[in-house]
Amino acid sequence: MTDPYNRRFDLIAFDWDGTLYDSTSLIVRCIQAAVVDVGGARPSDKDAAWVIGLGLVEALAKAAPDVPRAKYAELGARYRHHYIAHHNDLVLFDGVVPMLDALHARGHKLAVATGKSRSGLDAALATATLHDRFHSSRTADETAGKPHPRMLLELMEELAVPPERTLMIGDTTHDLQLALNAGCASVGVSYGAHEPDAFDALSPLFVAHTVASLQDWLLANG
């Protein structure tokens, strides 16, 4: 059967924080507060932002190299305390819902590949009422964290889509490296956690500076 939309990608996997959800600044503040709570040196905004997208334990360990491993459980608990206190303040970036609806109308399978926990993603999806927009999702606590390719490989297997028909979209080098490791193409967004200059070495097909430009590119090239 001929594809009336001439799609290049059957599966489009999105990172969550900093790509669909406007949460980067809150996550940075929560990481900084958690590290200080357990006696570590407050990481800079840049260092705290760099670890976004990794699994929680790995992210906190990299952001707080002076905090001993014995305190990681307490560090994670303090991060969750600060995040939960403000997570209801978070919103989707403008234009995300119309973009997802437009991709649905073209018949793309949509997924989330995130460094969040399953409970964290489910709560965010419920808050944003987006459960019915995605065919599947993977979180860092139920598979390998980024940039290990496992979460994308599992999504591709579940949804029966090969790597050459899969696109990963994210705001960090961890997302783009995940795509490379899984044999998939990627698109970066510049409005999240990482500076887009760092994307060049990872060969994204496009770097979007707004959700509107991301949607335009996907409808023309996805």
Side-chain angles (χ1 to χ4, degrees):
M1 182 177 179
T2 302
D3 178 359
Y5 297 106
N6 193 31
R7 287 183 301 253
R8 178 177 178 183
F9 301 106
D10 297 316
L11 169 59
I12 301 177
F14 291 91
D15 170 58
W16 185 259
D17 289 306
T19 300
L20 300 179
Y21 217 44
D22 189 3
S23 49
T24 299
S25 60
L26 173 60
I27 293 172
V28 166
R29 294 196 303 273
C30 291
I31 289 172
Q32 292 168 330
V35 173
V36 171
D37 284 352
V38 301
R42 182 182 183 274
S44 67
D45 289 357
K46 181 178 180 180
D47 288 345
W50 188 87
V51 304
I52 294 174
L54 301 174
L56 180 59
V57 173
E58 182 183 3
L60 293 173
K62 289 183 180 296
D66 60 329
V67 173
R69 182 173 294 273
K71 287 193 171 185
Y72 283 1
E74 182 185 359
L75 182 60
R78 294 308 300 165
Y79 171 82
R80 286 186 287 269
H81 166 79
H82 291 293
Y83 186 87
I84 289 170
H86 295 282
H87 79 278
N88 287 330
D89 301 340
L90 298 173
V91 295
L92 294 166
F93 286 109
D94 288 342
V96 163
V97 173
M99 175 182 68
L100 296 177
D101 287 345
L103 295 173
H104 258 288
R106 283 167 50 91
H108 294 282
K109 295 178 180 179
L110 304 181
V112 175
T114 177
K116 297 181 79 65
S117 66
R118 170 52 59 187
S119 61
L121 177 62
D122 285 348
L125 287 169
T127 299
T129 62
L130 285 182
H131 277 290
D132 62 345
R133 299 309 204 289
F134 297 103
H135 295 83
S136 189
S137 60
R138 287 294 187 281
T139 60
D141 61 340
E142 62 190 9
T143 186
K146 300 171 185 177
H148 193 286
R150 188 181 301 162
M151 65 172 63
L152 260 187
L153 295 176
E154 289 179 354
L155 287 168
M156 289 188 287
E157 181 178 9
E158 177 186 344
L159 299 173
V161 180
E164 64 271 16
R165 301 287 295 179
T166 299
L167 179 68
M168 177 70 203
I169 300 174
D171 68 309
T172 71
T173 55
H174 313 308
D175 299 310
L176 306 191
Q177 187 65 59
L178 164 66
L180 279 178
N181 292 347
C184 303
S186 69
V187 163
V189 301
S190 67
Y191 49 79
H194 286 191
E195 292 296 326
D197 290 349
F199 295 165
D200 293 344
L202 300 170
S203 303
L205 299 179
F206 178 66
V207 176
H209 300 300
T210 63
V211 173
S213 67
L214 177 60
Q215 176 176 330
D216 289 345
W217 187 92
L218 289 171
L219 295 182
N221 302 280

